mmCIF file of all heavy atoms in Angstrom:
data_model
loop_
_atom_site.group_PDB
_atom_site.id
_atom_site.type_symbol
_atom_site.label_atom_id
_atom_site.label_comp_id
_atom_site.label_asym_id
_atom_site.label_seq_id
_atom_site.Cartn_x
_atom_site.Cartn_y
_atom_site.Cartn_z
ATOM 1 N N VAL R 1129 124.108 -223.559 -176.296
ATOM 2 C CA VAL R 1129 123.913 -222.355 -177.113
ATOM 3 C C VAL R 1129 125.054 -221.362 -176.882
ATOM 4 O O VAL R 1129 125.643 -220.821 -177.829
ATOM 5 C CB VAL R 1129 122.555 -221.698 -176.785
ATOM 6 C CG1 VAL R 1129 122.461 -220.303 -177.401
ATOM 7 C CG2 VAL R 1129 121.408 -222.581 -177.253
ATOM 8 N N LEU R 1135 132.478 -220.462 -179.266
ATOM 9 C CA LEU R 1135 133.367 -221.055 -180.263
ATOM 10 C C LEU R 1135 133.315 -220.299 -181.591
ATOM 11 O O LEU R 1135 134.350 -220.103 -182.246
ATOM 12 C CB LEU R 1135 133.001 -222.525 -180.471
ATOM 13 C CG LEU R 1135 133.294 -223.458 -179.279
ATOM 14 C CD1 LEU R 1135 132.753 -224.856 -179.546
ATOM 15 C CD2 LEU R 1135 134.797 -223.507 -178.994
ATOM 16 N N THR R 1137 132.585 -217.096 -182.015
ATOM 17 C CA THR R 1137 133.265 -215.809 -181.833
ATOM 18 C C THR R 1137 134.773 -215.993 -181.740
ATOM 19 O O THR R 1137 135.546 -215.246 -182.341
ATOM 20 C CB THR R 1137 132.738 -215.114 -180.557
ATOM 21 O OG1 THR R 1137 131.323 -215.009 -180.624
ATOM 22 C CG2 THR R 1137 133.337 -213.724 -180.412
ATOM 23 N N PRO R 1147 146.477 -214.745 -189.228
ATOM 24 C CA PRO R 1147 147.219 -214.374 -190.445
ATOM 25 C C PRO R 1147 147.899 -213.006 -190.347
ATOM 26 O O PRO R 1147 148.752 -212.678 -191.179
ATOM 27 C CB PRO R 1147 146.123 -214.345 -191.529
ATOM 28 C CG PRO R 1147 144.972 -215.084 -190.950
ATOM 29 C CD PRO R 1147 145.039 -214.853 -189.483
ATOM 30 N N SER R 1156 146.263 -194.081 -186.599
ATOM 31 C CA SER R 1156 146.042 -192.639 -186.702
ATOM 32 C C SER R 1156 144.622 -192.311 -186.258
ATOM 33 O O SER R 1156 143.783 -193.204 -186.058
ATOM 34 C CB SER R 1156 146.242 -192.193 -188.150
ATOM 35 O OG SER R 1156 145.246 -192.772 -188.981
ATOM 36 N N LEU R 1162 137.183 -195.598 -188.061
ATOM 37 C CA LEU R 1162 136.774 -196.882 -188.635
ATOM 38 C C LEU R 1162 136.799 -197.983 -187.584
ATOM 39 O O LEU R 1162 135.858 -198.786 -187.490
ATOM 40 C CB LEU R 1162 137.693 -197.245 -189.800
ATOM 41 C CG LEU R 1162 137.361 -198.557 -190.527
ATOM 42 C CD1 LEU R 1162 136.023 -198.434 -191.249
ATOM 43 C CD2 LEU R 1162 138.463 -198.924 -191.515
ATOM 44 N N LEU R 1170 130.471 -205.117 -185.005
ATOM 45 C CA LEU R 1170 130.847 -206.509 -184.737
ATOM 46 C C LEU R 1170 130.277 -206.991 -183.404
ATOM 47 O O LEU R 1170 129.794 -208.117 -183.294
ATOM 48 C CB LEU R 1170 132.365 -206.652 -184.732
ATOM 49 C CG LEU R 1170 133.072 -206.686 -186.090
ATOM 50 C CD1 LEU R 1170 134.581 -206.732 -185.897
ATOM 51 C CD2 LEU R 1170 132.611 -207.882 -186.907
ATOM 52 N N GLY R 1175 126.940 -210.493 -180.285
ATOM 53 C CA GLY R 1175 126.013 -210.514 -179.161
ATOM 54 C C GLY R 1175 124.657 -211.075 -179.529
ATOM 55 O O GLY R 1175 123.891 -211.516 -178.666
ATOM 56 N N HIS R 1184 115.985 -218.919 -181.624
ATOM 57 C CA HIS R 1184 115.602 -219.067 -183.025
ATOM 58 C C HIS R 1184 114.978 -217.792 -183.594
ATOM 59 O O HIS R 1184 114.052 -217.848 -184.410
ATOM 60 C CB HIS R 1184 114.640 -220.253 -183.201
ATOM 61 C CG HIS R 1184 115.159 -221.524 -182.605
ATOM 62 N ND1 HIS R 1184 116.280 -222.183 -183.083
ATOM 63 C CD2 HIS R 1184 114.734 -222.262 -181.531
ATOM 64 C CE1 HIS R 1184 116.516 -223.265 -182.353
ATOM 65 N NE2 HIS R 1184 115.602 -223.331 -181.399
ATOM 66 N N GLU R 1193 118.111 -206.445 -180.798
ATOM 67 C CA GLU R 1193 118.186 -206.640 -179.349
ATOM 68 C C GLU R 1193 119.627 -206.514 -178.855
ATOM 69 O O GLU R 1193 119.893 -205.904 -177.808
ATOM 70 C CB GLU R 1193 117.628 -208.015 -178.978
ATOM 71 C CG GLU R 1193 117.305 -208.200 -177.502
ATOM 72 C CD GLU R 1193 115.976 -207.605 -177.100
ATOM 73 O OE1 GLU R 1193 115.245 -207.110 -177.993
ATOM 74 O OE2 GLU R 1193 115.652 -207.618 -175.904
ATOM 75 N N ALA R 1203 115.734 -200.520 -175.770
ATOM 76 C CA ALA R 1203 114.576 -200.864 -176.592
ATOM 77 C C ALA R 1203 114.608 -202.371 -176.848
ATOM 78 O O ALA R 1203 115.674 -202.961 -176.961
ATOM 79 C CB ALA R 1203 114.613 -200.103 -177.909
ATOM 80 N N THR R 1204 113.443 -202.983 -176.936
ATOM 81 C CA THR R 1204 113.396 -204.432 -177.087
ATOM 82 C C THR R 1204 112.371 -204.851 -178.123
ATOM 83 O O THR R 1204 111.406 -204.122 -178.386
ATOM 84 C CB THR R 1204 113.067 -205.112 -175.741
ATOM 85 O OG1 THR R 1204 113.065 -206.533 -175.901
ATOM 86 C CG2 THR R 1204 111.718 -204.664 -175.201
ATOM 87 N N GLN R 1222 121.184 -208.665 -169.780
ATOM 88 C CA GLN R 1222 121.651 -207.692 -168.783
ATOM 89 C C GLN R 1222 123.147 -207.435 -168.933
ATOM 90 O O GLN R 1222 123.615 -206.306 -168.783
ATOM 91 C CB GLN R 1222 121.337 -208.190 -167.369
ATOM 92 C CG GLN R 1222 119.886 -208.519 -167.090
ATOM 93 C CD GLN R 1222 118.938 -207.370 -167.394
ATOM 94 O OE1 GLN R 1222 118.050 -207.472 -168.237
ATOM 95 N NE2 GLN R 1222 119.142 -206.254 -166.729
ATOM 96 N N LEU R 1297 119.198 -212.132 -155.655
ATOM 97 C CA LEU R 1297 120.570 -211.822 -156.042
ATOM 98 C C LEU R 1297 120.698 -211.762 -157.564
ATOM 99 O O LEU R 1297 121.389 -210.885 -158.100
ATOM 100 C CB LEU R 1297 121.531 -212.873 -155.472
ATOM 101 C CG LEU R 1297 123.022 -212.633 -155.742
ATOM 102 C CD1 LEU R 1297 123.474 -211.309 -155.146
ATOM 103 C CD2 LEU R 1297 123.860 -213.790 -155.177
ATOM 104 N N GLY R 1311 121.269 -198.769 -169.147
ATOM 105 C CA GLY R 1311 120.850 -199.585 -170.281
ATOM 106 C C GLY R 1311 119.371 -199.871 -170.344
ATOM 107 O O GLY R 1311 118.791 -199.937 -171.425
ATOM 108 N N ILE R 1328 113.311 -199.632 -153.563
ATOM 109 C CA ILE R 1328 114.004 -200.093 -154.762
ATOM 110 C C ILE R 1328 113.995 -198.999 -155.828
ATOM 111 O O ILE R 1328 115.007 -198.757 -156.503
ATOM 112 C CB ILE R 1328 113.363 -201.391 -155.285
ATOM 113 C CG1 ILE R 1328 113.685 -202.554 -154.338
ATOM 114 C CG2 ILE R 1328 113.828 -201.710 -156.695
ATOM 115 C CD1 ILE R 1328 113.042 -203.870 -154.716
ATOM 116 N N GLY R 1373 114.258 -179.774 -161.681
ATOM 117 C CA GLY R 1373 113.213 -179.007 -162.353
ATOM 118 C C GLY R 1373 112.241 -179.901 -163.097
ATOM 119 O O GLY R 1373 111.018 -179.706 -163.031
ATOM 120 N N ALA R 1385 96.551 -183.344 -162.243
ATOM 121 C CA ALA R 1385 95.722 -184.015 -163.243
ATOM 122 C C ALA R 1385 94.991 -185.228 -162.676
ATOM 123 O O ALA R 1385 94.168 -185.844 -163.368
ATOM 124 C CB ALA R 1385 96.587 -184.443 -164.430
ATOM 125 N N ALA R 1437 128.435 -185.493 -170.626
ATOM 126 C CA ALA R 1437 129.462 -186.063 -171.495
ATOM 127 C C ALA R 1437 130.376 -186.936 -170.648
ATOM 128 O O ALA R 1437 130.607 -186.659 -169.475
ATOM 129 C CB ALA R 1437 130.263 -184.948 -172.156
ATOM 130 N N SER R 1439 129.687 -189.990 -169.786
ATOM 131 C CA SER R 1439 128.869 -190.905 -168.990
ATOM 132 C C SER R 1439 128.316 -191.985 -169.899
ATOM 133 O O SER R 1439 128.567 -192.005 -171.106
ATOM 134 C CB SER R 1439 127.707 -190.140 -168.333
ATOM 135 O OG SER R 1439 126.723 -189.798 -169.299
ATOM 136 N N VAL R 1447 126.417 -180.673 -171.366
ATOM 137 C CA VAL R 1447 127.432 -179.652 -171.621
ATOM 138 C C VAL R 1447 127.224 -178.992 -172.973
ATOM 139 O O VAL R 1447 127.419 -177.775 -173.126
ATOM 140 C CB VAL R 1447 128.855 -180.250 -171.514
ATOM 141 C CG1 VAL R 1447 129.140 -181.249 -172.621
ATOM 142 C CG2 VAL R 1447 129.904 -179.147 -171.498
ATOM 143 N N PHE R 1516 108.368 -190.512 -184.868
ATOM 144 C CA PHE R 1516 109.183 -189.624 -184.039
ATOM 145 C C PHE R 1516 109.543 -190.314 -182.728
ATOM 146 O O PHE R 1516 110.676 -190.211 -182.239
ATOM 147 C CB PHE R 1516 108.439 -188.319 -183.755
ATOM 148 C CG PHE R 1516 109.212 -187.370 -182.890
ATOM 149 C CD1 PHE R 1516 110.342 -186.730 -183.374
ATOM 150 C CD2 PHE R 1516 108.816 -187.126 -181.588
ATOM 151 C CE1 PHE R 1516 111.072 -185.859 -182.573
ATOM 152 C CE2 PHE R 1516 109.529 -186.256 -180.774
ATOM 153 C CZ PHE R 1516 110.667 -185.619 -181.268
ATOM 154 N N ILE R 1523 117.863 -192.894 -181.237
ATOM 155 C CA ILE R 1523 119.002 -191.997 -181.370
ATOM 156 C C ILE R 1523 119.395 -191.384 -180.027
ATOM 157 O O ILE R 1523 120.564 -191.088 -179.779
ATOM 158 C CB ILE R 1523 118.714 -190.889 -182.419
ATOM 159 C CG1 ILE R 1523 120.035 -190.260 -182.900
ATOM 160 C CG2 ILE R 1523 117.773 -189.823 -181.868
ATOM 161 C CD1 ILE R 1523 119.879 -189.350 -184.104
ATOM 162 N N PHE R 1537 109.369 -202.653 -179.564
ATOM 163 C CA PHE R 1537 109.396 -202.614 -181.020
ATOM 164 C C PHE R 1537 108.868 -203.928 -181.609
ATOM 165 O O PHE R 1537 109.134 -204.235 -182.766
ATOM 166 C CB PHE R 1537 110.819 -202.365 -181.518
ATOM 167 C CG PHE R 1537 111.248 -200.922 -181.466
ATOM 168 C CD1 PHE R 1537 111.462 -200.284 -180.257
ATOM 169 C CD2 PHE R 1537 111.440 -200.203 -182.636
ATOM 170 C CE1 PHE R 1537 111.864 -198.958 -180.207
ATOM 171 C CE2 PHE R 1537 111.837 -198.875 -182.605
ATOM 172 C CZ PHE R 1537 112.045 -198.243 -181.381
ATOM 173 N N PHE R 1560 129.318 -187.903 -185.367
ATOM 174 C CA PHE R 1560 130.472 -187.695 -186.243
ATOM 175 C C PHE R 1560 131.192 -189.005 -186.562
ATOM 176 O O PHE R 1560 131.582 -189.249 -187.698
ATOM 177 C CB PHE R 1560 131.478 -186.733 -185.597
ATOM 178 C CG PHE R 1560 131.059 -185.294 -185.597
ATOM 179 C CD1 PHE R 1560 131.568 -184.411 -184.661
ATOM 180 C CD2 PHE R 1560 130.168 -184.807 -186.535
ATOM 181 C CE1 PHE R 1560 131.205 -183.077 -184.660
ATOM 182 C CE2 PHE R 1560 129.791 -183.478 -186.540
ATOM 183 C CZ PHE R 1560 130.311 -182.609 -185.602
ATOM 184 N N LEU R 1563 129.038 -190.948 -189.148
ATOM 185 C CA LEU R 1563 128.725 -190.248 -190.402
ATOM 186 C C LEU R 1563 129.966 -189.950 -191.229
ATOM 187 O O LEU R 1563 129.887 -189.877 -192.456
ATOM 188 C CB LEU R 1563 127.963 -188.945 -190.108
ATOM 189 C CG LEU R 1563 126.527 -189.086 -189.605
ATOM 190 C CD1 LEU R 1563 125.866 -187.721 -189.513
ATOM 191 C CD2 LEU R 1563 125.703 -190.017 -190.489
#
Side-chain angles (χ1 to χ4, degrees):
V1129 168
L1135 292 174
T1137 306
S1156 65
L1162 182 67
L1170 283 176
H1184 308 294
E1193 196 81 4
T1204 182
Q1222 304 305 119
L1297 183 60
I1328 289 177
S1439 73
V1447 67
F1516 179 70
I1523 199 169
F1537 280 69
F1560 286 156
L1563 290 186

